Amino acid sequence: MAPQPILLSARTVAKYGIHIRANEAAFRENSATIVMPSKEAAFLNPVQEFNRDLSTIAIITWSQMLDGEKRQRFEARNRARSKRAKAVSGEPDAKRIKTDEEPHEHTYQSYKFKALEALSATGLRSIRYAKEIPLLGFVQANDLSATAVQALRRNLALNFPPDRPVNEWIKMDVEQADEEEHEVEAEADPTPSGIHPDCKVHVNQGDAISLMYEHRDLPKRYDLIDLDPYGTASPFLDAAVQSVTDGGLLCVTCTDLAVLAGHNYPEKCFSLYGGVSIKAEYSHEAALRLVLHSISMAAGRYGRYVQPMLSLSIDFYLRVFVRVWSRPETVKQNASKTGLVYTCSKCSNFHIQPMGRCTESQSSKTGHSTLKFGSASGPPTDTHCAECGGTFHVGGPMWFGPLHNRAFCDELLATLDSNKHPVHTEARIRGMVSTARDELPDAPFYFHPAKIAGLFHCASPAMAPMVHALLHAGYRVSRSHCIPGSIKTNATRGEIYDLYRTWIRTNPVNPERLKEGSPAKGLLSHVREDGTPAVQHREFEWDVEHPDTHSVIHGSPTDNKAVRYQMNPQANWGPGTAAKGHRKRVHRSLAPEELDRRTDAWRKDRTQEVGEDTL
C-alpha cells in the first residue's frame, strides 16, 4: 500500500503564518508540508510519494558519486602540482621564488550542485530536495502558472520561515494536528509572513523550455534537471540535454503509458518519441526503451550521449535517471545500441534489427583497441513467424543498450543501508532497485509464463521448475521489475516455446482447443492425437533443481523483506488531473470526464478515511 500523506489542522499551520481557506487542506509528506491551493489545482497523489522518495535517494546517491569524482580530479591535480613543485625546487632561485608564491596545499570543499525542477506545481518535490539532500546548493523551482507559483511561495514560507535557523530546516518537525479542529476565518490574510533569505529553493515563473534554453552556456548549466510533467516529457528533452552539465543527472517521468505501452496510438508514439510502440506482454520494457531512445537522440545532436543509471516502469508511469556526457566518439555507438523490433502479431516472438554495427579491433603494433563502425545487415527474419506462422509488426526504433547501471544501484541501496535518509517507501525502493540491478543487461524483453501458457492453451507451469529448466540448459535467468511473475533470459523466444512443448508432453492440451489459425495451432504444429507436439528443437529437464534457482526467484537474503511489486493501492488511482491552466498545454491519455471521475473518487475515499471536516 502507498503511504497516505498526513493531514494537518489549520491551527498547526497558522502559527507559521499560513492560513488555510475553507476549500484548502495542508498535508505532510516526509520532511515537507504543503497547502493545496484549491479544488481545481493538482491534488496530492499519495501513489506518487514513491516517485519522490526514489528520486530523493537516487539524487543523494548521484551527488555523492559526483562529489567523489570531483574529489579524485582535485587530488590528481594536487599531486601533479606537487610533482612540478619538486621538479622546480632544484632550479635557479628566480624560478623557485615564483613557485613559492603559489600555495602547495589545498583543501577540497564538497561540491554543492545546482538543480532545476522545471515543472514544480506546488513545490513539494523541491522542498523535499532542499531539506533532505545534503549536497544540494540550490534548486530552482519553476512553473508557468501564476497560481502554482503563488502556492509555491506559500509553501516555502511554511517550510522555511524567516525566524528558523537554516541548520534546523532539515530537522523541522511540524506538530501533528490536534484532535479538535479550530476553524480559521475565511477573511484571514493568506499571504505568507516571509521566506528565509537563505532558502535553497529559488522560485521562477516562466516557460520551462525557454528557461532551459537560457541556461545552455557552460557556466549557467544545471547539474541536475528534473522533468515530471503531466503526460509526455518529450517537448522538454531537447532543451534539457543542452542545459545539463557534463556528468549531470537528468530525471524524467512520463505518464502517457497508453501511448508508450499501448498499441492504439502508434502514430502518436512516433510523433512524440520517434519510435512506434509494440503489442506484447513486454510492452512496458519497450516503453522504457522508447523513452531512452528519445533522450539519446536528443543528446546525440549536440555531441552528447546518455548513460542510463536506473530505468523503472512504476504503476502508471515511467521514471528514468540518466547521466549526460559530452563525447562525440561515444555518440557514434548510438546506432549499434538502437534498433527496430519485429514482433509476431500472434505469439509475440520477436527479432531485433540493429541500426548500425560497431566492432572492436586491437592493433598488433600499439596494442590499443579501436572501434570500427558500419551498416548492420538484415533483415533478421522472414515475412512470417517460424514458430506460429503469424505476420510481423514493426516497432521502434528504440534503445537496446543497458537499462540500468549496476554500480549505481549498489550505491543507491548502500545509501538506504546508511539509515541517514529515512523515507516511507524504503521497502519498495529496495525491492524494485535490487530487482532492476539483477536484471540481465544483454537480454532485451521479458516473458510472462501465464501469457505464454495462454498461447498454448495449456496449464501454466510454476516459476521454479521453469527457472530450473532454463538454468540446466545453460541459459542465464533473472526477474524483471516491470511485471510480477515476469522472467528475463538470454534464451530465444523459440527456445522458450520448446520449454513449453516439453512441459506439454506430460501436461497435454485438449485437441478441441486447437482451432485453425490460432497461435496454439501454429505453435503445436504436427500435433499427435493426444494433443502433444510431435516435433520440437530441444528437450528441457524440469525435475532437477538448480542451485541458483532460489537466488533468481527471491534475490539475496537481504532482499527477502523487500516489496518487489506494488499492488493497486486503492480502487481509483492513476495520474492526477492537471491544473486547469495547463489543460491545453499537456497530453493526457484519459478523457477529461474519466480524469474528473477519478479525482472525485479519490476525494471521496480520503473523506471516508480522515473525516469530512479535514477535507
Side-chain angles (χ1 to χ4, degrees):
M1 291 291 290
Q4 294 293 329
I6 301 171
L7 279 166
L8 302 177
S9 68
R11 179 187 179 186
T12 301
V13 296
K15 62 184 179 181
Y16 294 103
I18 303 295
H19 301 284
I20 302 176
R21 302 184 183 95
N23 62 338
E24 293 180 332
F27 291 90
R28 179 77 187 281
E29 181 182 288
N30 215 46
S31 66
T33 304
I34 63 168
V35 176
M36 307 312 297
S38 67
K39 294 180 181 179
E40 288 78 18
F43 60 82
L44 179 64
N45 191 341
V47 179
Q48 286 287 67
E49 182 171 358
F50 174 75
N51 186 317
R52 291 182 284 269
D53 286 352
L54 173 66
S55 300
T56 301
I57 300 299
I59 293 172
I60 291 173
T61 304
W62 160 81
S63 64
Q64 293 170 347
M65 294 176 64
L66 180 68
D67 186 57
E69 292 165 357
K70 290 183 176 295
R71 180 186 294 273
Q72 289 179 359
R73 290 195 291 269
F74 176 85
E75 292 174 350
R77 288 194 298 268
N78 261 0
R79 288 193 296 268
R81 188 181 295 112
S82 299
K83 289 181 179 179
R84 288 196 299 269
K86 291 179 180 179
V88 174
S89 62
E91 298 294 329
D93 292 342
K95 292 186 177 181
R96 189 183 314 119
I97 293 173
K98 184 177 180 180
T99 59
D100 287 344
E101 295 175 354
E102 302 176 0
H104 293 291
E105 294 185 4
H106 302 269
T107 303
Y108 177 77
Q109 300 294 329
S110 294
Y111 181 73
K112 302 289 186 178
F113 68 92
K114 301 176 295 183
L116 168 68
E117 188 190 4
L119 307 157
S120 184
T122 57
L124 173 58
R125 188 181 295 265
S126 291
I127 292 170
R128 287 196 56 184
Y129 288 174
K131 286 192 168 187
E132 300 173 25
I133 302 178
L135 292 177
L136 175 68
F138 73 87
V139 54
Q140 189 159 18
N142 174 78
D143 203 279
L144 182 63
S145 167
T147 304
V149 172
Q150 182 182 6
L152 170 58
R153 293 186 184 279
R154 291 182 66 195
N155 290 327
L156 289 178
L158 174 60
N159 288 270
F160 305 105
D163 58 344
R164 183 175 294 274
V166 177
N167 57 4
E168 292 185 13
W169 283 347
I170 198 169
K171 303 175 184 177
M172 178 177 165
D173 187 18
V174 178
E175 296 177 5
Q176 297 295 322
D178 297 335
E179 295 182 2
E180 180 182 358
E181 291 287 341
H182 294 264
E183 296 183 358
V184 178
E185 297 181 1
E187 59 269 19
D189 182 16
T191 306
S193 58
I195 303 172
H196 199 290
D198 294 330
C199 176
K200 292 182 179 181
V201 183
H202 301 173
V203 182
N204 184 77
Q205 180 182 347
D207 181 78
I209 298 175
S210 299
L211 177 63
M212 288 187 286
Y213 277 138
E214 292 172 359
H215 287 75
R216 287 177 294 176
D217 294 339
L218 287 175
K220 297 181 179 180
R221 288 181 180 178
Y222 299 102
D223 298 295
L224 177 137
I225 296 179
D226 196 314
L227 301 174
D228 190 5
Y230 290 97
T232 178
S234 61
F236 308 97
L237 296 180
D238 184 81
V241 297
Q242 295 184 70
S243 53
V244 67
T245 59
D246 227 34
L249 190 68
L250 190 59
C251 314
V252 181
T253 298
C254 294
T255 62
D256 55 336
L257 281 184
V259 173
L260 280 166
H263 61 280
N264 294 323
Y265 310 101
E267 74 292 344
K268 183 69 173 177
C269 187
F270 185 82
S271 64
L272 291 176
Y273 298 98
V276 177
S277 56
I278 61 178
K279 180 183 179 182
E281 75 260 25
Y282 43 83
S283 60
H284 282 252
E285 182 177 328
L288 283 171
R289 296 185 181 279
L290 284 167
V291 172
L292 290 174
H293 162 70
S294 185
I295 301 174
S296 174
M297 289 296 294
R301 299 186 186 101
Y302 307 102
R304 314 194 79 186
Y305 72 96
V306 299
Q307 179 187 12
M309 309 304 287
L310 184 63
S311 310
L312 298 179
S313 174
I314 308 166
D315 300 332
F316 52 84
Y317 62 92
L318 306 178
R319 182 68 165 170
V320 300
F321 302 88
V322 300
R323 297 188 75 177
V324 181
W325 303 89
S326 297
R327 190 179 180 187
E329 295 85 355
T330 307
V331 174
K332 296 178 181 179
Q333 301 179 28
N334 282 352
S336 60
K337 296 178 181 178
T338 306
L340 300 170
V341 56
Y342 292 82
T343 306
C344 177
S345 58
K346 287 186 177 181
C347 72
S348 297
N349 181 26
F350 66 88
H351 297 274
I352 295 172
Q353 171 63 67
M355 304 301 290
R357 178 169 49 87
C358 177
T359 56
E360 185 176 357
S361 60
Q362 192 169 11
S363 174
S364 57
K365 296 181 178 179
T366 62
H368 298 298
S369 59
T370 58
L371 296 177
K372 294 184 178 180
F373 304 94
S375 300
S377 58
T381 182
D382 199 354
T383 55
H384 288 78
C385 177
E387 300 297 327
C388 72
T391 57
F392 284 101
H393 290 171
V394 181
M398 61 183 67
W399 173 268
F400 282 107
L403 295 177
H404 322 285
N405 182 282
R406 187 178 181 88
F408 179 79
C409 294
D410 286 334
E411 290 293 331
L412 193 152
L413 294 173
T415 302
L416 290 175
D417 292 336
S418 68
N419 296 322
K420 296 179 180 179
H421 312 285
V423 290
H424 295 154
T425 59
E426 178 180 340
R428 190 182 178 197
I429 293 175
R430 287 185 181 277
M432 288 204 75
V433 174
S434 60
T435 304
R437 174 199 61 190
D438 296 336
E439 285 183 5
L440 298 181
D442 55 350
F445 303 138
Y446 54 85
F447 73 92
H448 198 284
K451 291 284 187 180
I452 297 184
L455 294 175
F456 282 91
H457 294 310
C458 69
S460 180
M463 179 178 291
M466 293 192 67
V467 175
H468 297 334
L470 289 168
L471 290 174
H472 277 299
Y475 298 111
R476 293 177 290 122
V477 186
S478 74
R479 302 288 296 273
S480 171
H481 77 276
C482 294
I483 296 178
S486 53
I487 298 175
K488 298 194 77 170
T489 178
N490 61 334
T492 66
R493 192 83 172 189
E495 288 161 337
I496 295 171
Y497 292 156
D498 280 343
L499 177 67
Y500 275 78
R501 294 183 185 109
T502 305
W503 162 261
I504 290 172
R505 288 183 180 277
T506 55
N507 300 269
V509 178
N510 185 353
E512 296 179 359
R513 305 188 68 180
L514 304 178
K515 297 181 180 180
E516 197 65 36
S518 67
K521 184 70 174 179
L523 291 170
L524 294 172
S525 56
H526 307 291
V527 180
R528 298 189 182 95
E529 294 183 358
D530 61 357
T532 59
V535 178
Q536 66 180 44
H537 304 99
R538 66 171 301 165
E539 296 281 347
F540 284 84
E541 177 60 55
W542 284 83
D543 300 329
V544 181
E545 183 175 353
H546 194 278
D548 295 335
T549 299
H550 186 273
S551 61
V552 169
I553 297 176
H554 301 288
S556 63
T558 57
D559 299 333
N560 289 339
K561 296 183 180 180
V563 180
R564 292 176 180 268
Y565 305 100
Q566 172 74 38
M567 301 299 294
N568 289 4
Q570 52 198 35
N572 299 283
W573 70 295
T577 307
K580 284 190 174 180
H582 292 265
R583 288 196 172 193
K584 293 182 180 180
R585 296 181 57 83
V586 300
H587 166 76
R588 295 180 301 157
S589 57
L590 298 176
E593 297 79 10
E594 174 64 14
L595 284 169
D596 291 339
R597 184 189 69 78
R598 294 191 179 193
T599 303
D600 294 339
W602 179 86
R603 292 187 180 279
K604 182 179 179 181
D605 291 342
R606 294 293 295 141
T607 301
Q608 293 174 352
E609 289 181 18
V610 300
E612 192 73 37
D613 295 339
T614 319
L615 286 177

